[in-house]
Amino acid sequence: MFVRNALITLGAFAVSVSAAIMPFNPRAGGGTCSSTAVACKSASKSNKCCLPDNGIIVLSQQWLTGYCAVNDCSALSEVPTGWTIHGAWPDSCAGKQVSSCGEASTYSSISGPIQQYDPDLYSTMQDIWVSYTGDDETFWQHEWSKHGTCWSPAAKSCFSNFKTGQDLAAYFGWVVKLRNQFELGAAFDAAGITTGGTYAKTDIINAIQATYPDLQVALLCTQGYLTEVYASVYATPTGGVAGSPVGSKSTCPSQINF
């Protein structure tokens, strides 16, 4: 399993929010929220059920082709050929890491409730949120208990008629949308960076920022192979915007095997 910093694998308020993240309690946490709100950027208080109070998000995408080139991935029936999700980790607006914020004990299973509440999301997660150990359930449990519980729009109090799995689907679904917004494969393809080649670290970073301007990233490598990319964004109700500091340092050499 992967862990951060080391590889392992609204009516009284004015509202304009994507239906995809409805419903939520408009009074929870007070404040207002709109679809254009940006975490950590507004001078006025925002509704924590629409905009996360821990508003800097570190989005981590894995390149399992690189990881499996130098590690045992025999538990996988096949290695994914695209970028997959490690997680999206809420940090405070001061850039401080937060974790295990509560409600984790309410689920002994992640896959069951998500599959029942949102089968399409479950199917998507099976494709793009993969553990190299083959145990996606344990991977998802870790990401929910450590990080998902710190994403305030997933709090049960944010749903007027809460249904089992709704909080899980809100968090994991939002992460999938964030990943699709900043999907790294598009950046690599646009720059002609292809599997099996060796590239300068600066060229990879420039390629990412050419597609996603101002996106701050850290590249992680194992034995010279690119294995993971951290990208930092300010959260929005439907995804994120680039510009926040990433906090972590790259671990890759000047020349990177991809």
Side-chain angles (χ1 to χ4, degrees):
M1 202 61 55
F2 290 96
V3 294
R4 189 172 183 179
N5 298 327
L7 265 167
I8 63 174
T9 234
L10 281 184
F13 300 95
V15 180
S16 174
V17 183
S18 168
I21 60 169
M22 293 286 280
F24 54 84
N25 181 352
R27 292 176 171 80
T32 62
C33 191
S34 75
S35 59
T36 58
V38 178
C40 306
K41 289 294 194 177
S42 175
S44 59
K45 185 177 182 180
S46 295
N47 189 295
K48 68 179 183 180
C49 289
C50 175
L51 201 64
D53 46 9
N54 294 308
I56 291 179
I57 310 296
V58 178
L59 171 66
S60 175
Q61 297 182 59
Q62 304 173 139
W63 180 243
L64 288 179
T65 296
Y67 184 79
C68 294
V70 290
N71 292 279
D72 180 14
C73 294
S74 59
L76 289 174
S77 58
E78 60 180 351
V79 178
T81 58
W83 288 88
T84 60
I85 300 170
H86 176 176
W89 309 319
D91 286 354
S92 74
C93 292
K96 181 180 179 180
Q97 295 183 30
V98 296
S99 63
S100 305
C101 300
E103 296 191 11
S105 62
T106 59
Y107 289 104
S108 58
S109 167
I110 300 297
S111 57
I114 290 183
Q115 187 173 16
Q116 183 174 12
Y117 186 82
D118 190 340
D120 290 337
L121 173 60
Y122 176 73
S123 178
T124 298
M125 288 172 64
Q126 288 183 301
D127 290 335
I128 64 169
W129 203 322
V130 180
S131 170
Y132 82 94
T133 68
D135 186 358
D136 296 343
E137 173 64 34
T138 299
F139 189 17
W140 299 343
Q141 285 181 354
H142 170 80
E143 293 302 311
W144 168 252
S145 63
K146 186 173 183 180
H147 304 294
T149 58
C150 297
W151 190 72
S152 60
K156 290 181 178 179
S157 60
C158 291
F159 305 94
S160 57
N161 295 294
F162 177 78
K163 297 178 178 64
T164 299
Q166 194 170 15
D167 49 351
L168 298 177
Y171 172 68
F172 286 103
W174 179 81
V175 176
V176 167
K177 292 174 185 176
L178 185 64
R179 176 265 185 188
N180 291 343
Q181 183 182 355
F182 295 102
E183 197 273 319
L184 293 176
F188 281 62
D189 290 348
I193 298 175
T194 58
T195 306
T198 300
Y199 302 90
K201 177 169 65 175
T202 53
D203 288 343
I204 292 178
I205 293 174
N206 289 340
I208 295 171
Q209 293 180 335
T211 298
Y212 305 115
D214 204 28
L215 186 65
Q216 305 303 301
V217 298
L219 311 183
L220 278 66
C221 287
T222 300
Q223 298 180 31
Y225 283 84
L226 184 63
T227 55
E228 192 161 3
V229 174
Y230 292 168
S232 184
V233 301
Y234 292 111
T236 72
T238 58
V241 295
S244 61
V246 70
S248 300
K249 293 182 179 180
S250 295
T251 64
C252 292
S254 59
Q255 294 292 316
I256 300 174
N257 298 316
F258 181 68

